Amino acid sequence: MPTGSFSAKAYSFFDTLLWIACLNLLWIVFSVAGLGVLGVGPATAAAHILVRRRVRGEAAPLLRAFTREFGRNFGRGNGLALPVMLAGAALTLNWNYFSATGDLLSQLMAAGVFLAAILVVAVVCHLFPMFARYELPLAQYLVMSSRFALRHLAGTAILLFVTAAALYASQALPGLIPFFSIGAWLYVTGWLCDRFFAANDESVMADGLARAAGGGGAAAGAGSGAGTSAGAADASGGAAGYGAGRPPRSTESVIA
């Protein structure tokens, strides 16, 4: 059928809904299989890797691919998730403590805890999509996702809105949770982050090429061939950005 026809669009839409529902079920099953605490991280990592592949048009059997990525990223996924879960538990305890009292200092502390929780959610929205896209040292994912969230506030606001909408829909219709809520949140945030990162990569590459051209021009004016090499090295450093020269999982440049 023609790709632009209504039938093709309807088929693509319902195929995506079914894929999201299957992803939702796999995330829950594998999280439970990992005893919850040890399953959430690798399940989320596997889900975002598969979301990115689907966004890029790569087809693969979902169950087999999810199982493979869950096992492959079990250690690194927990290395990302456990610090976040500890931070979330600490913020929850502090919120319950400070919000229960009515004095001014406690209310100010509760407000600070609330703002810190928003920051943690913003970091989490970027964290696993970044893991799915880039190859970085494990500790750098938390640092770089935090920096990206703070530097790109418009995108962060969109991700927070999507997260709030998913939570609201799940509270209003709890029946969505076992079928769509988690999978839809993973898919939409992964799709958005992939576009945010791609736009940032293009910007970094453009800046690197501009610096390389500037360095090459200066070298030509001075009659020195070494300037061109320096300009190219500068471009390479600019494109590496956050990744400190580490190659990304994809062919795009590492974010900065």
Side-chain angles (χ1 to χ4, degrees):
M1 68 183 71
T3 56
S5 68
F6 174 79
S7 298
K9 292 180 179 178
Y11 175 83
S12 177
F13 174 75
F14 287 108
D15 180 65
T16 300
L17 281 183
L18 178 60
W19 192 89
I20 288 173
C22 293
L23 183 71
N24 193 100
L25 178 62
L26 287 174
W27 188 92
I28 293 174
V29 169
F30 278 80
S31 294
V32 173
L35 302 179
V37 173
L38 296 179
V40 170
T44 306
H48 273 295
I49 290 171
L50 297 185
V51 165
R52 183 167 187 265
R53 289 179 185 172
R54 182 171 179 88
V55 167
R56 292 166 62 87
E58 301 175 14
L62 185 56
L63 176 59
R64 185 186 308 168
F66 197 101
T67 303
R68 181 174 62 251
E69 296 299 338
F70 180 89
R72 180 182 299 170
N73 296 288
F74 188 85
R76 289 170 66 81
N78 278 308
L80 293 177
L82 290 177
V84 173
M85 288 190 283
L86 288 173
L91 289 171
T92 300
L93 291 174
N94 279 279
W95 170 261
N96 291 335
Y97 176 79
F98 290 117
S99 62
T101 57
D103 60 279
L104 179 60
L105 179 59
S106 295
Q107 293 303 308
L108 291 175
M109 292 297 294
V113 170
F114 181 75
L115 292 176
I118 292 177
L119 176 60
V120 170
V121 173
V123 171
V124 171
C125 287
H126 292 88
L127 181 60
F128 285 96
M130 186 177 291
F131 177 80
R133 186 179 181 93
Y134 301 106
E135 188 68 49
L136 301 172
L138 189 62
Q140 290 297 305
Y141 286 107
L142 285 168
V143 176
M144 302 314 164
S145 58
S146 301
R147 291 173 62 183
F148 195 94
L150 293 174
R151 286 186 178 185
H152 301 80
L153 293 178
T156 299
I158 294 172
L159 292 171
L160 290 174
F161 174 80
V162 169
T163 302
L167 290 173
Y168 177 80
S170 298
Q171 289 180 343
L173 298 170
L176 290 174
I177 296 175
F179 299 104
F180 286 109
S181 294
I182 301 170
W185 180 78
L186 291 167
Y187 185 86
V188 174
T189 55
W191 182 83
L192 287 170
C193 283
D194 195 63
R195 276 145 183 77
F196 297 156
F197 294 155
N200 185 78
D201 289 344
E202 292 173 2
S203 176
V204 170
M205 288 297 293
D207 290 344
L209 291 174
R211 285 196 292 268
S224 171
T228 304
S229 299
D234 186 35
S236 176
Y242 281 144
R246 290 288 188 114
R249 297 182 191 275
S250 63
T251 58
E252 292 90 356
S253 61
V254 183
I255 63 172

